[in-house]
Structure formats: C-alpha cells, structure tokens
Amino acid sequence: MAYEDLRDWIAALERVGELRRITTEVDPILEITEITDRVSKGGRASSPGGSALLFENIKGHPGHQVLINQFGSARRMNLALEVDSLDEIAGRIRHFMDVKSPQGFLDKVKMLPILAEMGKFFPKTVSTGACKEVIRKDNFSLDWFPILQCWPKDAGRFITLPCVITRDPKTGKRNVGCYRLQVYDERTTALHWQRQKIGAEHYREALRRAAAQSAWGQPPSAVQAGEARPPEAARASVDIMARSSGGAVLAEGQRPAGKMEVAVAIGTDPAVTFSSIVPAPPDVEEYLIAGFLRQKPVELVKCETVDLEVPATSEIVLEGHVHLDELRTEGPFGDHTGFYSLEDLYPVFHLSCITHRKNPVYATTIVGKPPMEDAWMGKAVERIFLPLMKLTIPELVDINLPVEGIFHNLMIVSIKKSYPGQARKVMNAIWSLGQAMFTKCIIVVDEDVNVQDIADVTLKVLNHIDPERDIQFTLGPIDSLDHASRLPNYGSKMGVDATRKWASEGFTRPWPDEILMDAKTKALVDSKWKKLAKELGLE
C-alpha cells in the first residue's frame, strides 16, 4: 500500500532498521550537514549511504524534528517507491508503452483493465487535509522552522527539498519542481529555478503575456482559439525575452509588471518528493507521475491565498507569488558539483500564507561532493527513465550516469549499432532530450560493453578511439551550475564515438580480437576452483 504521508514513510523506515533517531542537540547551522555528510559517505560496506536520520533536538527550535538522508541508499530508494528493484517500475512503463491502438471490439474490451488501471493514477482534489491543521495568514515566519545553512560560504539558510508548484499561464497545467529557496527574511526567499526548468518557463510565459498585454491593451485570453495575436503583441513578447535574456536579468527601460502565483510543499510522501526531481515532459504533471509510482492517486487540497493545489498531507505549505519585475541576488550555495554555485539573479518569492501540520517534520537534504543522498535519487531516475529514452532513441541498450560525473557532466551509452555514423546521431539525440541537453560529455560504446562496469568502459574506450577522428564538439545550453563554461548557461559539449569503426566509416585496418579464455578451459578450472581457491588462500 502507498505511504499515506511523510510520517507513514518514517515509520516504515524505522520498522526495517533504516532510520536513526538522534537525541543529541544539534545546530541547523552547518552542524547537521557535517553529521549527515559523514553518515552518507561513511556507511558500512554492506550498507552504503548510511541511515536515514531524524534529528529530534534542534538548537533554537525546541519540539521540532528534521528528517534527512531519507533517499540515501539503493535500498531506501526501492522502499520509497515500494519495489524490490527499480527495474519493476521501468517494466511498468514499458507495459504502458506497448499498448497498441485497438483494431476492433475485442481489442477494445481487452484494453479496459489497462484503462481502469491508468485511471487510478490521476490526482484528486479533496476538501481538506492534514496540511491545514494550522493556517496562518497574518502572524507567520520562516524563522519558526529549522532551515539549514549547509556549508560555510553559503549565502544563508536554504530550503533544499521543496516541491515548488506553479501553473502554466497558457495551458493551466501544473508543474512540481525541486528548486532551492534561499531565505532572505521571515517572509521572502529567492526562487532558484534554473533557466531551463519548467517553473522558469512558466515565469517566462507570464512575462511574455504581460508584455503582450501591455503592447496590445488586452489580455492574451481575449484571443479566440486558433486566432493569431496581432504583430505588436508578438513583437513585444520577443522583445522582452531578448532584453531580459529570457527573464535572467531586469530589462532596461520599460518592463511589464504583474505577479505569478507559487506554492511550496515541504515534507510530502516519498513518491511526490521524488517526482519533483524527475525530468518529466512538460505536458505530464508530476502529480500523475507520483500516482503512477505509488499506484494510488495523490490527494490535493486548494491553497488558502493562491489558485494552486498542494498535496493534502504535506507537513508544511508556503503560499505566495513572485513579481515579474523583481530579481534579487541568490547564492553562493554549496552545490552537488562539489563546488559553490556562484551568485546570480533570481525571482523573489513573497509569502502570503503558511499552513502546516501540528508539530511538523521538516524534511531536507544536503548536496556537495558525491556520493550523497542525491546520488541515489539520480541513479533511480537513470533506471526508471531508460524506457522513455528508448522511445526516441530505440538503439539504446543501456546508460550510466556515474555519480562522480554529477549526472550532467558524463553519460556513458551503449547502442546496437546498425549503420555508419550512428554513434554521432545518438549523441545529438541525447542533447535534444529535455534535461539531457546539459550533458557535457557523452561516450558511446557498442552493446557488448557493460556501461555499468567503469573498468571495462575505460579499457574499451581508450583502446577504441582515435581522438582526432572520434571526438566531436558542439555548442549549446549548459547547466547553470557549470562554473567552467565560457558563459553562464551556454558552452561546449563533447561526444566520444568509442564504437568499433566500420569500413563504411573509412576504417580499413583489421580489428583485433579481444583476449578471452576458451569455454572448455574455463569449465575445467571451474571444476577445480574450490580446491584451488583454498590452496591459493583465496577463501
């Protein structure tokens, strides 16, 4: 059965010995980070990632609890998504992708169970929920909560595991993203949605529409379906994007005003939290993904002061808005790259209301030099979304995003090669896929290379490439956290074709055989190995 809420999940972790309660007094300023970092990196060999931690004695916040490292191991990721292996979820995705259009009445009847199963994934709105146990529209403060300062040179305290909910001004569809919030004071934060994230696109669309309305004199909603906006409105939308660099800076001269509503849920059930980090297509709501993962709909409640819905069992909900003509410096922040992300301009989130459960549990995470909790979450995304990548790139066999490559720096791909130049086609296809566009280095190998075995990859890649011939460079969008790119958010990427080269690719030399023992000799030694191992001292 799906976890009802964060507390149900905490109880499950404790039942299986995956949670440690910490009663020693700890400071949310730096100290919790240092403790958690030691635990996540110093787990026993039999249990890498350490335990989930529930701090129960927080300096300056009597009665509060902080949950951290909840996803910080392979076992806990499986527990969070209620599977024995993440491949089970990939299999469920493949099952739905294999559904074919019905050809007749019998086919339609056969589809009924699948349609019924899909129906239970959609979120449903309920009248109220536990997140409404305490409602504060006037007297409220972010200082009530044990929000962490993670690293010494951080610009302040940061909310690091929020589900940030926005609505597409054009379609009305919701998005749930995990975007950090730097606390400025008791009622305002920064909203760090990276430029290419869906929340940032909602902000840009609101900016475009405000500019068009200012130029045209009436709201975009006045346009009839299928009717084009007048040229002056379209020009104003293009102009504000160019003058503001896509909402990254405040445009010189006249700029449109307005607000965009935002809600932030903290401490949701694990499927919702995980769904906020997945690279979902823009038209697929994360609440639907969470329902698919938990095999049960997410219950939502209306916010008090904004027109958005949040998970009904959230521990804490922040409501408010950002102004379209206001940006403020955010950062630095110790990031998952292992370095501090630098200062930059981001929208300011103004709170209008806080609702929360009685005695709320503050769920958080820390990022820094890998491996940390986010490494396990990233590997889960890798496994679960491989079937979806294969929809666009059917020759894919497997992928590996090494933890040390912090996901966007290196992707190793194996393919079933069928024609010359296919490795380069695959590189460009990956660079066109959502968040995969940020991948700085892509290595493509043949299907007989195990991409999960870094030793095998290193041996094969370095033997198989002629650097001048097999490495290509391209320019495009770069992750906002990349401090080495020539410009913020824009730089170069590298692809390495480490597949075996064919004559039709201009390779005319003979290709040597790999050194492998014959099967007969291997079987002979296998039959003697127990005795040999004892004599060799290998037992």
Side-chain angles (χ1 to χ4, degrees), residues 28 53 173 275 319 347 375 399 421 459 469:
L53 306 175
K173 289 187 177 180
S275 296
E319 303 177 13
I399 64 171
L459 178 73
R469 180 194 65 202

Side-chain angles (χ1 to χ4, degrees), residues 68 273 452 458 475 521:
I68 197 167
T273 302
Q452 307 302 329
T458 304
L475 291 169
T521 304

Side-chain angles (χ1 to χ4, degrees), residues 260-378:
M260 189 180 89
E261 295 181 332
V262 179
V264 177
I266 302 170
T268 61
D269 76 78
V272 172
T273 302
F274 178 71
S275 296
S276 72
I277 71 151
V278 302
D283 289 338
V284 179
E285 284 195 356
E286 285 76 12
Y287 289 142
L288 176 59
I289 294 173
F292 173 80
L293 292 173
R294 69 203 299 268
Q295 297 288 285
K296 185 179 179 181
V298 177
E299 292 191 344
L300 305 175
V301 291
K302 285 275 191 183
C303 287
E304 295 292 315
T305 60
V306 295
D307 183 25
L308 290 166
E309 296 79 28
V310 295
T313 60
S314 305
E315 293 290 322
I316 302 165
V317 174
L318 314 178
E319 303 177 13
H321 61 270
V322 297
H323 294 286
L324 301 180
D325 57 355
E326 179 186 24
L327 300 175
R328 184 171 168 181
T329 299
E330 189 265 6
F333 173 74
D335 230 313
H336 71 272
T337 60
F339 296 86
Y340 287 92
S341 54
L342 304 178
E343 293 182 358
D344 207 346
L345 295 174
Y346 282 93
V348 180
F349 178 44
H350 296 266
L351 275 67
S352 55
C353 178
I354 294 179
T355 72
H356 60 84
R357 299 186 67 163
K358 294 175 182 176
N359 303 312
V361 178
Y362 180 71
T364 188
T365 190
I366 57 168
V367 292
K369 293 179 181 178
M372 302 185 89
E373 180 176 10
D374 62 321
W376 304 99
M377 299 170 78

Side-chain angles (χ1 to χ4, degrees), residues 440 476-492:
K440 189 187 286 190
I478 290 291
D479 193 288
S480 298
L481 306 183
D482 191 316
H483 60 267
S485 59
R486 65 197 65 197
L487 292 169
N489 303 295
Y490 180 76
S492 65

Side-chain angles (χ1 to χ4, degrees), residues 38 47 73 91 181 215 223 300 324 326-327 342 418 422 426:
R38 293 188 187 190
S47 135
S73 72
L181 293 88
V223 180
L300 305 175
L324 301 180
E326 179 186 24
L327 300 175
L342 304 178
S418 302
Q422 192 168 7
V426 167

